Each structure stands twice: as structure tokens, then as C-alpha cells.
Amino acid sequence: MSENTPSIFDLTSRVAVVTGGNRGIGLGMARGLARAGATISIWSRDETKNAEAVAEIEALGVRASSVRCDVSSESSVVDACAQTVEQFGRIDIGIANAGFGTYSDPIGMSLEQWRRVLSTNLDGSFLTFREIAKHMIERGGGGKLIAVSSMVESFGAPKQPHYAASKGAVGAMVRSYAVELARHDIQVNSIRPGWIATEVLDPIVHDEKASKALLSRTPARRFGTPEDLEGIAVYLASDASRFHTGDSILVDGGYTIF
Ligand code: NDP
């Protein structure tokens, strides 16, 4: 390919929103999109971490900003979408990545514990998709919506029925939006990461017994890193995936098939 041939992975002039983009997997994907040329808007709650992430992304030579946003709040997501469109003129790529899990006894779990996880992981992904899709349809010209689900979509997760339910529902939501939005040239997919060494996984990564047990079941024999999610994010955000929709893609070092 000649130097002048435009790459199908080029994201120059595209604007990408990454919820939960101030650290971990979200920041890893944001870095990947930025390296492909995208302008980045980070939607997360911690303003100090937001500012640090924006500085890191800007150092890669692209425009970036952040909005203080709680994705479980409808008004917060509506405002974040309006602010981003006001600032950058458009949104081409929306990544619903913000999420968390807790380990709780499934029998003793309160409804409040259940709902807290669902409201960020599921309601937050829905609100992010809904607001960004509305904008994309109004402006025309298509777009990309990507959710970060989990491999727990497809197997039992001890002490995490709320987390597994939220991610299973996100997968179903993605397929439904994919069907609905295809006519607007909007591709909708999800990524199912395996065990990725971010802050939330620290207790497992630093527990010799637990990490040995997990890695012996992982063909790649290592934990994933946020950098391992860069490539799939760029692919799903770019023209390279223009006929690829409604899918759920594992990035797990082979854990699920072993
Ligand atoms: P981190 O805890 O490192 O990052 C979570 C991010 O989500 C932070 O940026 C946090 O920012 C943001 N966030 C959390 N709640 C909210 C909220 N209510 N509104 C806005 N932002 C929020 O987690 P990971 O990077 O590990 O996880 C990212 C995604 O990947 C999650 O959806 C998780 O379920 C999924 N995942 C992770 C795996 C792993 O092994 N690490 C495996 C499979 C899936 P702030 O607190 O500032 O709002």
C-alpha cells in the first residue's frame, strides 16, 4: 500500500466518546483511537482522573476533552452528549465502557446491590447508545456504537449474578440496536474482554494462588492489558468494520475456548 493510500483504519476527523475513559480498558481504547487520529471525549465522574487522561491523550497529538458524567443518570448522559456535540460539532463513535462489578453472596444480595450494578452497566450503556444514536440519525452519515460487555455473558460467574445479568443484557441490547440502526449505516457491536489487569483486578493479579489458577486456564498464559483492547476498538470504530454489526467479540487470550 502506498503512503498516500488512505487507511481503512484511519480515524482522522472522527470524534469518539469513551465512557469510563479515564483509566483501565476505556483509557486503553481511547489511546488506540487517538493513535488512529480520532478526537476523544471522555465521560467519567472523577475530574482529576479525567484531566490526567485528557493530558495523556492530547500528548498523542489529537484533540481531547472530558465531561464529568455519571452514566447511570439520564440527565447527566443527555448533558454530556449535548456538551460534546457543542464542543466538537459531532460524535462518530460511541463506546459504552463504564462499568463495575462487586462480589456478593447471591442469596444475601440486596435489591439495592443488584440495582446499583445494573444501573451503571446496563442503564448507562442504554442511555449512552440512545443519546448518541439520536444525534447520529439526526446528522446522517452513519456511525459506530460499541459496548464493553464481558466473557461472563457466556458462562456462570460465582458471586456475580448482578454483573453477569447486566453484561448478558448489554449483549442482547447490542444485537437489538444493530438491527434497528443498520438502515442508518450505524454498526453496533460489543467487545467481551477476558481477564484484563486493571485496578479492579488488582486483588486477583496480586494473589499468587488465584492468578496461578487463572493463568493455567488461559492459553496465552498472561493477563490481558488495556493495550490489548486498542486494536479491536480501532477496527470496530473504523471503516474496516463497515459490514460488521451485531457481533460480540471475545478478546480473552483464549480463556473461553480452553
Ligand atoms: P476500571 O475500574 O479500571 O475503570 C472503570 C471506568 O468506568 C472508570 O473510568 C470509571 O471512572 C468509570 N465509571 C464507573 N462507574 C461510572 C459511572 N457511573 N459513570 C461514568 N463512569 C463510570 O475498570 P476496567 O477498565 O477494568 O473496566 C472497564 C469495563 O470493562 C467495565 O464495563 C468492565 O465491566 C469491563 N470488563 C473488565 C474486565 C477486566 O478484567 N478488567 C473484564 C471484562 C469486562 P469514574 O470512577 O471516574 O467514573
Side-chain angles (χ1 to χ4, degrees):
M1 195 165 73
S2 109
E3 256 180 39
N4 298 324
T5 309
S7 161
I8 53 171
F9 297 106
D10 183 19
L11 298 178
T12 311
S13 82
R14 311 274 167 94
V15 177
V17 164
V18 185
T19 72
N22 67 12
R23 60 189 148 100
I25 291 174
L27 181 54
M29 292 190 296
R31 278 191 218 105
L33 301 180
R35 285 196 184 100
T39 296
I40 306 291
S41 177
I42 286 167
W43 298 1
S44 310
R45 296 164 303 176
D46 182 325
E47 291 183 287
T48 307
K49 282 204 157 56
N50 285 357
E52 286 166 8
V54 166
E56 194 186 322
I57 298 289
E58 281 176 337
L60 297 172
V62 297
R63 291 185 302 164
S65 77
S66 66
V67 181
R68 189 183 182 283
C69 173
D70 177 350
V71 295
S72 67
S73 152
E74 185 167 22
S75 59
S76 186
V77 175
V78 171
D79 287 352
C81 193
Q83 271 188 57
T84 306
V85 173
E86 161 100 23
Q87 182 173 13
F88 294 126
R90 58 189 293 126
I91 299 172
D92 302 280
I93 300 151
I95 305 190
N97 160 77
F100 76 104
T102 57
Y103 290 93
S104 312
D105 164 24
I107 311 304
M109 182 184 295
S110 67
L111 185 57
E112 202 274 328
Q113 279 176 304
W114 171 273
R115 284 190 176 145
R116 219 161 56 82
V117 169
L118 270 283
S119 73
T120 294
N121 297 5
L122 180 56
D123 299 0
S125 300
F126 158 65
L127 292 169
T128 304
F129 272 23
R130 186 192 71 186
E131 286 311 300
I132 295 178
K134 211 185 294 175
H135 156 74
M136 286 172 173
I137 291 168
E138 274 167 18
R139 74 154 159 69
K144 303 285 189 174
L145 293 174
I146 302 159
V148 177
S149 173
S150 163
M151 60 185 177
V152 304
E153 257 193 49
S154 49
F155 61 71
K159 299 194 187 304
Q160 292 202 298
H162 47 350
Y163 182 70
S166 71
K167 296 300 187 180
V170 163
M173 184 191 80
V174 160
R175 290 184 286 279
S176 180
Y177 269 112
V179 170
E180 199 67 46
L181 297 179
R183 74 198 74 171
H184 300 287
D185 195 20
I186 298 169
Q187 288 79 51
V188 189
N189 292 287
S190 69
I191 300 169
R192 279 184 290 156
W195 298 98
I196 310 297
T198 62
E199 256 173 68
V200 278
L201 219 65
D202 270 352
I204 293 176
V205 172
H206 296 117
D207 179 322
E208 202 178 323
K209 201 171 151 209
S211 60
K212 205 172 156 195
L214 279 182
L215 296 184
S216 69
R217 278 199 51 198
T218 306
R221 294 287 186 264
R222 66 172 177 86
F223 288 102
T225 66
E227 289 69 34
D228 291 323
L229 279 301
E230 283 189 25
I232 193 68
V234 171
Y235 167 71
L236 290 177
S238 68
D239 291 345
S241 58
R242 63 184 161 244
F243 199 56
H244 193 167
T245 198
D247 203 358
S248 167
I249 299 171
L250 279 164
V251 182
D252 68 350
Y255 184 85
T256 313
I257 44 105
F258 189 38

